[in-house]
Amino acid sequence: MFKPHVTVACVVHAEDKFLVVEETINGKALWNQPAGHLEADETLVQAAQRELWEETGIRATPQHFLRLHQWIAPDNTPFLRFLFVIELDNICPTEPHDSDIDRCLWVSAEEILQAGNLRSALVAESIRSYQQDARYPLSLIGEFNWPFTEGVK
């Protein structure tokens, strides 16, 4: 049976800038969107909120679902990556709570698209998707009879 890793990522946008997280991998500072794996007891939206807070210190809820990317990483690991949009009114301070994150940066789309230090090609592809794709309601990926949701018995 095919078992891809399920991850979430957020394109966070404010004042014509995008939020990237920087982490050092194999001695190189790499950029990514706030992103990470889905945990067993959370919905996709909850995972996106948790990863955003862990990696940036920002508490926000995605407003839209943007895209699902199915891809194979360079090490041949298969992924399903659910991409969300968070629109903030203003650029805000960041404080990563994940020790793997060195810092957060607010940068332009062009800086991301031209960067030579992206963690994966999906970082730039996410910005292109943001620029081109329609936004979808979160209900498109809503949970059904979710046992961890308040009131479900």
Side-chain angles (χ1 to χ4, degrees), residues 131-147:
Q131 292 173 327
Q132 299 167 0
D133 289 350
R135 310 301 190 259
Y136 301 98
L138 297 178
S139 61
L140 184 69
I141 53 164
E143 63 277 355
F144 172 75
N145 201 24
W146 187 245

Side-chain angles (χ1 to χ4, degrees), residues 21-129:
V21 297
E22 185 176 87
E23 56 192 321
T24 303
I25 299 175
N26 297 323
K28 186 172 182 183
L30 301 177
W31 288 0
N32 196 6
Q33 275 96 22
H37 285 85
L38 174 70
E39 300 294 335
D41 63 345
E42 60 190 2
T43 66
L44 292 163
V45 170
Q46 289 169 337
Q49 290 172 303
R50 176 185 51 76
E51 288 292 347
L52 179 70
W53 183 82
E54 287 177 1
E55 295 191 357
T56 71
I58 296 172
R59 291 196 186 273
T61 300
Q63 291 105 349
H64 305 283
F65 174 64
L66 186 59
R67 187 141 190 213
L68 171 62
H69 288 108
Q70 182 177 358
W71 73 292
I72 306 292
D75 67 358
N76 290 322
T77 302
F79 283 89
L80 293 177
R81 186 178 193 248
F82 290 82
L83 182 62
F84 296 93
V85 173
I86 296 177
E87 294 284 354
L88 300 176
D89 292 332
N90 303 99
I91 289 174
C92 58
T94 58
E95 182 182 344
H97 299 275
D98 182 332
S99 61
D100 291 336
I101 304 302
D102 299 327
R103 64 182 179 153
C104 302
L105 302 163
W106 290 94
V107 298
S108 69
E110 196 58 33
E111 287 174 280
I112 295 169
L113 295 173
Q114 299 300 319
N117 64 328
L118 302 180
R119 179 155 181 193
S120 80
L122 272 180
V123 178
E125 182 60 22
S126 296
I127 297 303
R128 285 189 285 275
S129 293

